[in-house]
């Protein structure tokens, strides 16, 4: 029997709009535990053009700095071609919505100061889906 | 028999130089269909130091905004150390040329407004290769 | 027997602090050779909130341009909420510490001008770990 498998989990949540941070670190660890997987990778993907997956420290002061950083890199009020939410798209394009994490001995190997956050960049409340794929060995 | 496999596909195309967008979304779906794969991931990689793989909405107005964004983040005319195309390298470094996509029930799970684009950042026409790897279960 | 496997390698090194580049390209090729793997992917992950994994050309002049680019995108001296090293976190958030590379015929398919670099963004010397995972077929 092949001890290799893929286990997919979709998680759904609502956001309040620009800018909100949703910590997915525990959700990812739970998906790995539910899949009973030992070694491999965890691929996390947000199927959205105005959302970001971000590895960083989950510290309120730092998240405030990241919010300001996003606003400065792609300001909301500027002369864009795309109507209404171009800045939300530019922020998502710059930071991207796909990340891959190592799974070793049954745990996702986040660093001590590292969390996985979804960042809402769109301008109004949205229903969001994140796909978590655990790929690897069960033994 | 192990239902797990890796299927590699190279695609080749020419670009006209700075800045050109090439939509690879259908090409990626076709590589998955040709590989007859059901569940796993699709890893897409551009082996180039002046190219980008980008998940975003393929909308002409937005692509124009992204072009301006690239020009503002790393302007062409500036005092760089690297000769001739430093700005092309900086844009590629900031956006990066590797992306991973979820494959579920035989389809790459792009979001409704999400496409995968290759972005040429170099200053003259180039011949480009993109490697598409389908990794997962055939059943 | 299933010819699929995952082989994990941790590498450890010291950095001198902001900004240092450590070329991991040969290390990654050696990990693949030691794992005796033929086809698949190599996932590289830095479990750090103030480090970057970057695909770019390893050219001294260009690395100097990238250093200036990092300093301009997230200046060290600015009014941040997070104490002492917010700019180091912002740089790591913008460039991210996870990359995935194609493994084909026993070699990582770097482009001609492409290297994988770890970039230290923290402000003082650090001990760093990078996780290299080779995932794929042995035959």
């Amino acid at each position: 029997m092949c001890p290799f498998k893929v286990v997919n989990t979709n998680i759904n949540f609502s956001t309040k709009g620009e800018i909100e941070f949703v910590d997915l670190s525990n959700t990812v660890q739970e998906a790995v535990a539910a899949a009973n997987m030992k070694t491999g990778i965890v691929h996390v993907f947000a199927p959205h053009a105005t959302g970001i997956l971000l590895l960083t420290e989950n510290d309120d002061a730092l998240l405030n700095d990241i919010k300001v950083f996003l606003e400065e890199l792609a300001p909301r009020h500027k002369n864009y071609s795309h109507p209404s939410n171009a800045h939300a798209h530019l922020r998502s394009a710059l930071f991207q919505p796909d990340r891959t994490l190592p799974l070793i001995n049954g745990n996702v190997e986040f660093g001590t100061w590292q969390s996985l956050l979804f960042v809402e960049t769109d301008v109004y409340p949205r229903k969001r889906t994140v796909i978590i794929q655990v790929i690897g060995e069960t033994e």
Side-chain angles (χ1 to χ4, degrees), chain A:
Chain A
M1 209 190 85
C2 181
F4 237 86
K5 66 175 179 178
V6 181
V7 177
N8 302 316
T9 308
N10 276 24
I11 61 162
N12 301 289
F13 52 93
S14 296
T15 64
K16 294 168 201 158
E18 179 183 356
I19 295 292
E20 185 181 354
F21 297 94
V22 180
D23 196 324
L24 301 177
S25 310
N26 289 340
T27 307
V28 166
Q29 294 284 17
E30 287 161 13
V32 165
N36 198 28
M37 303 281 273
K38 293 286 173 275
T39 306
I41 54 173
V42 181
H43 179 242
V44 191
F45 187 85
H48 303 298
T50 50
I52 294 166
L53 288 171
L54 189 63
L55 288 159
T56 193
E57 184 180 347
N58 186 352
D59 165 81
D60 284 346
L62 181 62
L63 298 190
N64 187 61
D65 290 331
I66 291 173
K67 188 170 184 293
V68 172
F69 193 42
L70 287 165
E71 287 164 355
E72 289 177 351
L73 287 164
R76 180 165 187 164
H77 298 290
K78 203 174 161 180
N79 195 15
Y80 296 114
S81 301
H82 185 79
S84 84
N85 68 346
H87 68 291
H89 281 281
L90 294 182
R91 294 169 187 182
S92 180
L94 187 55
F95 284 82
Q96 292 288 284
D98 65 319
R99 303 256 68 91
T100 306
L101 313 169
L103 165 60
I104 297 176
N105 295 327
N107 278 289
V108 179
E109 289 286 302
F110 288 113
T112 309
W113 306 107
Q114 208 173 33
S115 296
L116 180 69
L117 307 177
F118 176 83
V119 188
E120 178 61 69
T121 70
D122 218 337
V123 293
Y124 53 92
R126 296 289 305 262
K127 292 192 183 303
R128 296 304 200 178
T129 297
V130 169
I131 300 168
I132 301 171
Q133 299 186 283
V134 191
I135 302 163
E137 299 173 348
T138 52
E139 290 161 13

